[in-house]
Amino acid sequence: MTTAPHTEPATGFHALNLMPPLLEALDRAGYKDPSPIQAALIPVAMTGRDVLGQAQTGTGKTAAYLLPFMNRWRGGDPMKPQGIVMAPTRELAVQVAEEADKLSPSRHFRTVPVYGGQRFGRQMELMRLGCTLIVGTPGRVLDHLSRGTISLEKVRFAVLDEADRMLDIGFRPQIEKIMRRLPTKRQTLLMSATMSPQILKLAQRYMIDPEHLSMTPEVMTVDKIEQKYITVDEEKKFDLLVKVLERDKPRQCIIFVERKRTADKLYKNLKPHFPKVSVTHGDLPQPKRDKVMADFRAGKIICLIATDVMSRGIDVSGISHIINFDLPNDLESYVHRIGRTGRMGKDGCATSFVTPEQGEQLTGIEHLINRLIDEDRIEGMEAFTPRVKEPENKDKKMNPVFGRSKRKYTNRL
Ligand code: AMP
């Protein structure tokens, strides 16, 4: 009688049936176990089915959508890309391309990022060396298409990454033009932090019977992040910032402001106190923004002052603190800003400066994240009209059905 050889059940990425070069690349990258979105998305996408995935940056979504495509790739004409990822910002396009390079199964699998602000010539040179996957912002991809410098005829795999953000920016017409030029025989994956009716409409138009996968982003990221607010008068915000930085000593932090002008002014004022500070916003030339991001990623910059353009897609694992120097006007930006910390299961801390007039805005944020935010204080920095202190609330959760807390704000009276 013969007995079957005893084999251990495969675990981690091995259980996902990925080809050996990918397992080796994952090993080199130091990824031991698939994150929840990877464990959920990879097996479905490997069947070739379209997927509508609700997940934020920071959950490992990029590898989740790249690996199934890489696993299926078997060479082919290096001049004709087989995959395209569309992303809302240059920063995200660069990051996705870096992740693709990191996980690439072969030196013949080449990824080229294309985005505005960089010379066409440079991007064409890179494509001439071979391009399996294009990662680009919709505007620049379309520019290349109209110049005839990108061919989509062999594309079998398309991803709309951070689709909600792309629609917010107003990329819908460009996305639709590109989608209409893709071969119909393809797999389409759409990733979005939120599933609005507009997203579903886009999915309905360009996807075939997609499987919906939801990773409930608020619970995944926001719950792990310690969140606090400090009430402060507008004119004392700078002094408060210096005190918070001195007290909390962040490993790395992003200080979010609403206006580019505030960002520049803050940078000038903060530099004498903290030499490892830098600033980034949409008005700076792309090479300068790239340099700042590279320095931030390398840990040469400790405090980065940024506007919301940067709130998505920044993926720097050393970020321990987020400071909302200004509360965001758009509530959802709060979640995206604080999601820059607490990456891949790490803890993080987010502190928001709230002026006495902004009580309602803070309530709106608490409602959105379904959680009360703790008050923090720094001696000598109290606002002239502080927010009324909250009666003790044990579990700090808001009732998801009945919503609002019973908080009161002096400024509402
Ligand atoms: P993403 O959500 O794709 O922006 O990924 C967030 C960060 O997690 C990136 O720095 C990835 O390189 C990293 N990452 C992705 N998957 C894994 C994994 N399974 N294990 C460890 N790190 C990962």
Side-chain angles (χ1 to χ4, degrees), residues 13 16 18 34 37-47 63-65 67-68:
F13 284 104
L16 296 175
L18 295 167
I37 182 80
Q38 291 163 357
L41 197 147
I42 293 172
V44 181
M46 273 170 53
T47 66
Y65 65 68
L67 288 167

Side-chain angles (χ1 to χ4, degrees), residues 54-126:
Q54 188 168 3
Q56 284 194 326
T57 303
T59 55
K61 67 174 168 67
T62 317
Y65 65 68
L66 289 176
L67 288 167
F69 170 55
M70 291 174 164
N71 200 55
R72 223 178 313 137
W73 173 78
R74 295 286 179 274
D77 183 347
M79 294 303 140
K80 303 250 166 91
Q82 296 168 39
I84 180 167
V85 176
M86 281 177 253
T89 62
R90 302 150 187 194
E91 282 76 17
L92 187 65
V94 169
Q95 259 169 228
V96 171
E98 283 172 1
E99 184 81 350
D101 285 342
K102 190 153 76 173
L103 301 177
S104 170
S106 150
R107 65 189 169 84
H108 300 295
F109 184 107
R110 292 179 47 88
T111 303
V112 179
V114 299
Y115 48 86
Q118 195 191 42
R119 284 187 305 111
F120 275 94
R122 170 83 190 125
Q123 295 170 359
M124 280 147 64
E125 273 162 33
L126 288 173

